[in-house]
Amino acid sequence: MTTHEPGGRSAPLPDRDREDFRPEDRHHDDLSPQVRVSGARQLLALLPRLLGYHPDHSVVLVLTETSTTPGAPSSPARVVMSCRLDVPTVQELPALSAQLAPVLRRAVDGTPGIRLLHAFGHDLDEGPDGRPRPDLVAALHLALLRLADEAGAHLHDLLLVRDEGRSLLPVVADGEPVHPVPGWTGSPDPRDVPATADLVLRGRGALRSRTELVSLVRRRDPEAGRATAVALAVQDVGGPPPDVDEGLTLLTACVLQGHRPTPAERARITRVLRRRWARDALLARWLPELFPSHDLEGPGQVGDLVRRLPAWRPEEAAPALDRLLALVPQVPLEECAPLLTVSAMMAWGSGEGSIANETCAFALEVDPGYVMAQLLDRALQHGLRPPRADRSAGAASPGASPDRRPAA
């Protein structure tokens, strides 16, 4: 679900033309830490940490939900999903509702409550007077009203943003159009929003741009890649078939414990992941709700292998995902599809929707026929969330509410 803006903005991405509205989304659930923010202006300060980077030339949507249990005290809203897409043209906006309403409806899973849609338009085209073009603003407002209606939500806020988030202009506030629309005003300094500091302390950083995120996923280490290629050639010529148990144990040591593999160890990991049943065994341990071990196809001892592997700990997902992605550039590009797909699956399961989208797209560039990447790509396009063993806990929050970590 990645698109980005062409020409004169952030660098265009290779998948720009794959689908007009393919949002990067993050579903917020019980993996996320609770923090509280008050109103859409404070929520704006959290957006970079909800997305993982500072958005520009984008429309960012945040869907929240609050309980309507009769007789219950009022409760804070929870963030159900955050989503980013390129600023559409006026001609593209009529398609917004058809593309995104199903994604938003799936995000709430039919649970009761009042759903509010908060929209932030970053860096919309401006007219000679320095204000966003009226035709674009009007078309965006109308498209968001239709989207909210079809998703069973209410458009609560539409804030226009520029100057890297430092200036804002309200178009809709607290569910009502703002008349007359004022001029640009200052936005809250993230340092003055306690929730931002809470997320920083919990390791929720934000890259400067999506371009930086793309560079992170697509980086290469030519020297390490060549060393791994040599080790692979040596093993492929005369070495015995790699022991799957040993190879997956080595991979988990690198990802979960910080072990730095030698070229020969990277070659063993690469050879093991060529076996799709071995990849599935790893995912069955790391994403058990999605890959039950009793459904795996492979040798008779595959269930025992799954149980011997260390588990992926949600509270340590960020450094583990960093280490997993760091292995990719050290492997020859033509061998990267399995590692990239595992990385994309774990990013998706950990709520890192932007990373999941870009990593999955990269895997399909390396190997367009890689079936697991194709399946994940479809799930991402349709805004599906990975299954959770228990979703009873709340998730993230805005306008006087909690924020929790995603599961996109």
Side-chain angles (χ1 to χ4, degrees):
M1 290 181 269
T2 55
T3 59
H4 213 55
E5 48 280 349
R9 302 167 178 173
S10 299
L13 301 186
D15 60 343
R16 174 66 179 103
D17 297 324
R18 283 174 37 181
E19 189 170 332
D20 285 339
F21 294 106
R22 190 177 182 210
E24 312 155 339
D25 64 53
R26 307 178 84 169
H27 298 279
H28 298 259
D29 63 12
D30 53 296
L31 292 182
S32 305
Q34 280 197 356
V35 297
R36 290 182 177 270
V37 297
S38 179
R41 290 170 181 258
Q42 287 198 3
L43 181 57
L44 173 64
L46 263 64
L47 289 184
R49 284 164 182 81
L50 291 179
L51 293 172
Y53 60 89
H54 290 266
D56 66 271
H57 298 85
S58 305
V59 174
V60 180
L61 307 177
V62 180
L63 183 67
T64 68
E65 181 183 56
T66 185
S67 172
T68 57
T69 305
S74 60
S75 61
R78 67 186 185 100
V79 169
V80 179
M81 187 187 79
S82 56
C83 158
R84 186 216 72 94
L85 58 149
D86 298 337
V87 173
T89 65
V90 171
Q91 293 73 27
E92 292 172 327
L93 278 166
L96 184 70
S97 182
Q99 295 284 346
L100 290 186
V103 176
L104 268 60
R105 284 197 298 268
R106 275 191 292 268
V108 295
D109 288 337
T111 55
I114 298 173
R115 293 115 190 212
L116 303 178
L117 184 63
H118 313 264
F120 304 87
H122 291 256
D123 306 311
L124 270 63
D125 290 342
E126 297 180 357
D129 60 355
R131 295 165 68 93
R133 285 173 33 208
D135 61 331
L136 179 56
V137 175
L140 177 61
H141 185 189
L142 179 60
L144 291 171
L145 286 170
R146 289 175 176 165
L147 172 62
D149 182 61
E150 293 194 20
H154 303 276
L155 180 61
H156 194 259
D157 302 284
L158 171 55
L159 298 181
L160 307 184
V161 188
R162 71 177 187 184
D163 303 329
E164 297 182 340
R166 290 188 292 270
S167 301
L168 59 86
L169 189 157
V171 177
V172 177
D174 298 326
E176 297 293 336
V178 176
H179 291 303
V181 175
W184 291 101
T185 62
S187 62
D189 189 322
R191 293 171 294 184
D192 296 332
V193 179
T196 304
D198 288 345
L199 292 181
V200 171
L201 290 173
R202 291 181 171 114
R204 296 299 304 275
L207 299 174
R208 288 195 57 80
S209 68
R210 191 173 185 285
T211 303
E212 192 171 323
L213 181 144
V214 173
S215 299
L216 175 70
V217 169
R218 294 172 175 267
R219 60 190 160 168
R220 302 301 302 158
D221 185 337
E223 183 177 346
R226 284 193 295 270
T228 305
V230 170
L232 273 168
V234 170
Q235 291 183 23
D236 287 343
V237 168
D243 181 81
V244 172
D245 199 333
E246 177 189 355
L248 292 184
T249 300
L250 181 59
L251 175 58
T252 57
C254 297
V255 174
L256 304 181
Q257 300 162 15
H259 171 70
R260 296 189 176 185
T262 65
E265 290 173 333
R266 294 196 296 268
R268 282 203 291 278
I269 291 170
T270 302
R271 290 183 80 196
V272 163
L273 287 182
R274 289 175 180 170
R275 304 185 186 187
R276 297 191 179 181
W277 70 264
R279 175 210 64 199
D280 292 348
L282 178 68
L283 291 172
R285 183 56 171 148
W286 283 357
L287 287 174
E289 296 89 357
L290 190 61
F291 296 92
S293 59
H294 55 76
D295 288 343
L296 292 179
E297 296 181 1
Q301 74 276 18
V302 65
D304 292 335
L305 169 61
V306 171
R307 286 186 286 274
R308 285 195 297 272
L309 294 173
W312 180 278
R313 296 168 61 86
E315 64 273 19
E316 298 175 1
L321 184 57
D322 286 346
R323 296 186 197 112
L324 185 55
L325 288 169
L327 274 176
V328 174
Q330 301 180 60
V331 171
L333 184 61
E334 62 274 12
E335 298 280 359
C336 278
L339 262 177
L340 282 166
T341 303
V342 170
S343 300
M345 293 295 302
M346 298 317 302
W348 181 50
S350 301
E352 299 295 346
S354 302
I355 293 177
N357 279 287
E358 187 57 36
T359 308
C360 184
F362 192 16
L364 288 172
E365 289 176 29
V366 172
D367 185 353
Y370 201 76
V371 175
M372 182 67 77
Q374 292 175 345
L375 293 173
L376 178 59
D377 184 61
R378 289 178 198 149
L380 291 168
Q381 286 190 41
H382 290 89
L384 299 181
R385 69 175 74 192
R388 291 283 176 236
D390 178 13
R391 282 196 224 156
S392 59
S397 63
S401 44
D403 172 86
R404 318 204 79 188
R405 188 159 182 121

